Amino acid sequence: PGTSLSVDESIYNQTFNLPEGGTFVVVASGIVSGSGYSPLQPFTLLATAGQEAAATAGNTDVLVLHGATDAPTVDVYESAVLGATAVDDASYGDFAGYLELPTSDYVLQVRTADNAAIVATYAAPLATLGLNDAALTVLASGFLAPGDNSNGPAFGLWAALASGGALVELPLLPNPTARVQVVHNSADAAASTVDVWLDDALLIDDFAFRTASPFVDAPATIEFTVGIAPANSTSASESL
């Protein structure tokens, strides 16, 4: 505890034996309390090989840790520069080895492991922050559901710089969307009035032949499913 006077008051102990000349990152993670948190991931010190600078001049090397105890397995997709998945199937406690990235400003999408939805989108402005030649650790931190976790800090991505000090919060961005209009032009009498579902959410209720919706927001950069169901349907599973 912060008021401790000796190591005898430790709430947790872990033994390390580091090889001479090595460089490491150790992250305190998990839950100390015995209740008030769900899931109750026990406190631990997570250790991995580290770097104090980029391996190649002109790059920024980024170590990623999934450190959010109540977040599921996720992917991290970079949409601005790479257009590719940067971290695949990361579960709580997983380190992804250093990503050797050209120093630029990136956009990171935290996605569900099946790439069916974007959980949140963050800016990673490595160039704007002047992180050329640097190595840093990006942590998934906090809780997706603070209400289930003693109203603790909310989920976010935070960067630990090799120089130390307060972690740098990566700015939250709006999830990408596209504008879509739906027009009902199926002349089949059996489809004179239908419901339109977007994934598992009702998008348009009782949609009549020869009518059009206004333009609405739809998810962009990921696959989604549109379902056409009979009028008065109660779930997307009734789609025709």
Side-chain angles (χ1 to χ4, degrees):
T3 58
S4 64
L5 300 176
S6 77
V7 69
D8 294 335
E9 299 177 53
S10 295
I11 56 175
Y12 178 85
N13 290 282
Q14 186 168 330
T15 300
F16 291 92
N17 187 352
L18 306 179
E20 183 177 359
T23 303
F24 300 88
V25 174
V26 181
V27 180
S29 191
I31 305 300
V32 175
S33 303
S35 61
Y37 295 86
S38 179
L40 195 62
Q41 298 282 9
F43 183 87
T44 190
L45 298 176
L46 302 171
T48 191
Q51 295 177 202
E52 297 184 54
T56 302
N59 280 357
T60 306
D61 291 359
V62 180
L63 176 69
V64 179
L65 170 66
H66 185 326
T69 55
D70 70 335
T73 299
V74 296
D75 292 345
V76 179
Y77 183 89
E78 199 294 312
S79 62
V81 180
L82 304 177
T85 298
V87 177
D88 188 41
D89 289 347
S91 299
Y92 170 70
D94 288 346
F95 282 102
Y98 277 93
L99 304 172
E100 299 183 6
L101 303 173
T103 304
S104 184
D105 290 344
Y106 294 88
V107 175
L108 306 178
Q109 296 175 358
V110 179
R111 296 181 173 189
T112 54
D114 59 3
N115 274 297
I118 298 173
V119 178
T121 302
Y122 297 89
L126 305 182
T128 298
L129 292 173
L131 295 174
N132 191 50
D133 301 335
L136 60 140
T137 302
V138 172
L139 312 156
S141 178
F143 301 106
L144 279 180
D148 295 333
N149 291 278
S150 297
N151 294 316
F155 181 90
L157 297 185
W158 297 73
L161 306 183
S163 57
L167 302 190
V168 178
E169 184 177 9
L170 300 189
L172 182 66
L173 300 175
N175 287 340
T177 58
R179 298 287 287 169
V180 178
Q181 182 183 46
V182 184
V183 181
H184 187 340
N185 191 41
S186 173
D188 187 339
S192 60
T193 304
V194 297
D195 292 341
V196 181
W197 293 80
L198 175 63
D199 288 328
D200 293 322
L202 182 62
L203 182 66
I204 307 172
D205 189 30
D206 294 338
F207 193 32
F209 173 59
R210 288 183 177 161
T211 60
S213 78
F215 278 86
V216 296
D217 289 332
T221 76
I222 61 170
E223 293 184 357
F224 62 90
T225 300
V226 173
I228 308 300
N232 301 316
S233 63
T234 57
S235 78
S237 64
E238 300 175 50
S239 295
L240 305 171

